[in-house]
Amino acid sequence: MTTTAPLYVDQSGGYVDPLADPRLYEGALSRRVLAFCVDFGIVLTLTFVASVVIFFLGVFTLGLAWLLYGMVFPAVAILYSGATLGGDRAATWGMRMTGLTARRWDGSMPGFFVAGAHVVLLYATVTFLTPFILLVGLFSRRKQLLHDIALGVLFMDRGLLESRR
């Protein structure tokens, strides 16, 4: 059986296409915006903490560690996303708060590298296309943004997805 849609095993042991149940994606786009705001705040807080640590390391290394300031935000964002989105719950803390979870096209959870690439592509597309990436989500059947489509990642309602299993 070949198909381009992701398939999940339901309670009866059969395969289910998530497109057959569009409730999995209802409200996903607005919840992702809220989750992004929460996650951005967390990343900024962690960046501030890392910056303080780098400051004191710079004092001890006679300024050498201060070269790390240029990459502290991207490093924190990638590590945060890789650890949370690529973790066993497949959701950042903001996504957990809004009840979302991530899956790949084949139904597996994204790993550390896919999650890290996801945040890099997110910030790259936001930088160049600003809010226009949200327009793609309005017209996509699965409420996917550009970087989701590029990486084959779906964001669904965690409660509905887990109740189907």
Side-chain angles (χ1 to χ4, degrees):
M1 174 160 103
T2 36
T3 180
T4 59
L7 299 174
Y8 299 94
V9 179
D10 68 356
Q11 293 170 344
S12 66
Y15 289 103
V16 175
D17 179 3
L19 281 181
D21 191 0
R23 294 179 305 149
L24 287 171
Y25 307 103
E26 285 179 5
L29 196 57
S30 59
R31 289 191 283 172
R32 284 186 69 188
V33 170
L34 177 62
F36 172 78
C37 293
V38 170
D39 292 331
F40 191 73
I42 292 170
V43 169
L44 283 179
T45 304
L46 292 173
T47 300
F48 175 75
V49 171
S51 296
V52 171
V53 170
I54 289 172
F55 173 78
F56 288 112
L57 282 174
V59 170
F60 292 122
T61 61
L62 302 174
L64 189 61
W66 292 336
L67 295 172
L68 297 175
Y69 274 126
M71 58 187 232
V72 67
F73 180 80
V76 168
I78 291 170
L79 290 174
Y80 170 76
S81 182
T84 56
L85 186 60
D88 59 343
R89 294 182 68 183
T92 62
W93 291 337
M95 290 177 193
R96 291 175 194 174
M97 185 184 83
T98 58
L100 293 173
T101 188
R103 294 293 185 269
R104 297 194 55 195
W105 285 98
D106 60 358
S108 65
M109 294 185 183
F112 182 86
F113 294 108
V114 172
H118 189 268
V119 75
V120 168
L121 287 178
L122 167 69
Y123 285 117
T125 55
V126 165
T127 300
F128 295 112
L129 302 174
T130 324
F132 293 117
I133 63 166
L134 292 175
L135 291 177
V136 174
L138 293 175
F139 298 107
S140 168
R141 290 191 298 175
R142 297 179 187 121
K143 305 302 181 206
Q144 290 176 291
L145 304 179
L146 285 176
H147 55 284
D148 301 334
I149 295 168
L151 292 172
V153 178
L154 301 167
F155 289 92
M156 301 174 227
D157 187 295
R158 183 178 63 232
L160 284 174
L161 182 66
E162 290 175 357
S163 68
R164 293 180 67 133
R165 292 185 176 210

